[in-house]
Amino acid sequence: MAAGYAELLRTRHAARLLVGTLIGRLPNGTGPIAIVLFTRAEGGSYSLAGALAAVYGLANAVGQPLLGRAVDLFGQPRVQLPAAVVSALGMVWLALAGTGSPAAAYGAVVVAGLFTPPLEGGLRALWPGVLGGKEERVHAAYAMDAVAQEVMFTVGPLLVTLFVALWDPAAALLVINAIGVLGALSVVVSEPSRTWRSAPREAHWLGALRSPGLLALLGSFFFVGMALGSITVAGVAYADDHGNQAVYGWLMAALGLGALVGGVAYGARQWAGAPERRLRLLVALLAVCYLPLMLVPGPLPMAALAALAGVFLAPALACAFIVVDRHAPAGTVTEAFSWLVTFFGVGAAIGTAAAGPAVELGGTASGFGVASVAGAAALLVLTATQRILAAPGRTRTVAGSPPGSVEGTGGGAEAGADGAAGGGAVDGPAGGPAGGPAERLVGN
């Protein structure tokens, strides 16, 4: 398993792009906790802290697809770096102005969230070109990407608390965002980012959202996000029931560990068949694994169940990346990936809001019940739309490719001006199935 990922990272530019993207996304991954800690240190109430964090998340959800569309239109460097700088300045504004004026504080977090650069979608647009368009390597890179996200969301909060301990919450805000700008800079000055160009796109106000298949996927992952958001609240209630807040940390760590193991295992092999069918199976397994959480056993068995609940998360995300790539209309790949981030994040926020009343009305088991219901809803959406998902967009011949060479059905194989992979032709669907020609849905 590790050997496969190591081989990917030895590919020119791959390690730099992955690490740079993770560092560049650090402010986003740590934003809510940093805002809460800063607000409390300034003497603000928990209500204000929570409201500021929520507004930051909503602004981020609005900004990601808008900036993703701008990247597809104008290229990565012209959008990603200026957005990173403006977002960081929003956090600088918050750190300097404090929370004494709620209007100023809300304005600062809106700026910081709205201009968070869409580095996540940008990286996935670059993978096919960097990896030579070889679909099995792109699939493995998507899995590695999903695993790396789990690492970032585990290490990021630890870094924030470390910086707060070393200095103070305001300094933590400044340092984290300065690091984020450096990460974005590392990505946009790289050759793949500078030379990447989106495929020609049809002018349409809906952009990526005019794809029925993409809409079906986004609807499903809204509920996956809702399930995860509800687990974070139900986990706090479970820890309260057992009189030990450390239990919450163990549950979340177990959930992340399960996702890491699942993602590594998923990316270690090649998968045959259409990814849409595989995604349906993965989401079904994900939904089934949420059910045992409602048993709320003792801490050790509960940690084991949390790990099991996480096992299919990273594989489902990695497979979803492939499906996005297949269904995104030409020229909208970054925007499409950014919409996935948005729907997932909004779902998580709603899940967090729904789990609180569920716990108050029916206890901790009901809080985990929200995750079970949301998981079932995610599966239901995929099942109800399987005919739509079975028909990805048309393949497109790559300019300058030899006859018979085909570009990915979505936008993910959009290479740079020099091919971004040494000028070679793209050999097959960047996000297509790993099977033979009969399995490629050409022109459907």
Side-chain angles (χ1 to χ4, degrees):
M1 294 180 185
Y5 288 132
E7 189 272 333
L8 284 178
L9 292 173
R10 284 195 295 269
T11 303
R12 188 183 179 201
H13 302 299
R16 172 181 179 173
L17 290 172
L18 179 64
V19 173
T21 297
L22 290 176
I23 293 175
R25 291 180 57 219
L26 193 59
N28 184 29
T30 61
I33 187 173
I35 289 169
V36 169
L37 291 175
F38 174 76
T39 304
R40 291 296 296 151
E42 290 284 300
S45 66
Y46 281 109
S47 295
L48 177 61
L52 287 173
V55 168
Y56 172 80
L58 289 174
N60 184 278
V62 171
Q64 285 294 292
L66 296 177
L67 290 172
R69 181 177 294 194
V71 167
D72 288 326
L73 291 172
F74 305 113
Q76 293 197 1
R78 293 182 180 180
V79 178
Q80 303 276 37
L81 186 58
V85 171
V86 173
S87 178
L89 289 175
M91 285 300 193
V92 171
W93 177 12
L94 178 64
L96 296 180
T99 58
S101 168
Y106 281 115
V109 298
V110 165
V111 169
L114 193 62
F115 286 93
T116 298
L119 293 168
E120 187 175 350
L123 175 63
R124 289 167 199 151
L126 294 177
W127 278 134
V130 171
L131 300 176
K134 296 181 178 179
E135 60 188 34
E136 69 277 2
R137 300 186 78 206
V138 174
H139 295 181
Y142 285 155
M144 181 176 64
D145 189 352
V147 169
Q149 285 189 70
E150 297 300 326
V151 174
M152 191 267 289
F153 281 107
T154 300
V155 173
L158 295 178
L159 281 178
V160 172
T161 55
L162 174 63
F163 292 154
V164 169
L166 290 175
W167 302 301
D168 57 57
L173 275 177
L174 298 176
V175 172
I176 287 290
N177 280 272
I179 292 173
V181 171
L182 292 177
L185 178 63
S186 174
V187 171
V188 301
V189 298
S190 68
E191 180 184 354
S193 180
R194 286 186 290 105
T195 58
W196 178 85
R197 296 294 182 271
S198 176
R201 60 185 285 150
E202 175 189 348
H204 197 290
W205 69 275
L206 279 176
L209 294 183
R210 69 181 184 272
S211 165
L214 181 62
L215 288 174
L217 179 72
L218 296 178
S220 176
F221 272 77
F222 167 85
F223 288 110
V224 174
M226 185 175 176
L228 285 181
S230 64
I231 287 175
T232 61
V233 174
V236 172
Y238 179 86
D240 288 341
D241 292 344
H242 289 78
N244 185 355
Q245 286 300 315
V247 171
Y248 175 74
W250 284 107
L251 289 183
M252 294 300 103
L255 190 70
L257 177 62
L260 283 172
V261 171
V264 169
Y266 177 82
R269 59 159 292 180
Q270 296 180 26
W271 299 89
E276 291 83 0
R277 293 195 299 270
R278 185 163 66 251
L279 179 63
R280 208 158 48 242
L281 174 61
L282 289 169
V283 171
L285 292 169
L286 189 64
V288 168
C289 290
Y290 287 147
L291 290 171
L293 295 173
M294 296 177 65
L295 298 174
V296 289
L300 285 179
M302 192 64 177
L305 292 178
L308 179 63
V311 165
F312 296 102
L313 176 60
L317 285 171
C319 193
F321 300 157
I322 298 170
V323 175
V324 169
D325 186 38
R326 283 162 61 83
H327 288 269
T332 68
V333 60
T334 310
E335 179 190 343
F337 279 121
S338 299
W339 274 118
L340 181 63
V341 175
T342 290
F343 272 70
F344 192 88
V346 172
I350 292 176
T352 300
V359 168
E360 292 176 358
L361 292 173
T364 301
S366 295
F368 287 114
V370 174
S372 299
V373 171
L379 176 60
L380 180 62
V381 171
L382 290 181
T383 303
T385 59
Q386 57 184 305
R387 286 192 175 184
I388 294 173
L389 284 166
R394 292 179 181 273
T395 56
R396 298 181 309 281
T397 302
V398 183
S401 298
S405 183
V406 177
E407 188 184 7
T409 54
E414 296 157 352
D418 62 352
V426 178
D427 298 323
E439 295 182 73
R440 304 178 193 274
L441 302 175
V442 180
N444 288 346

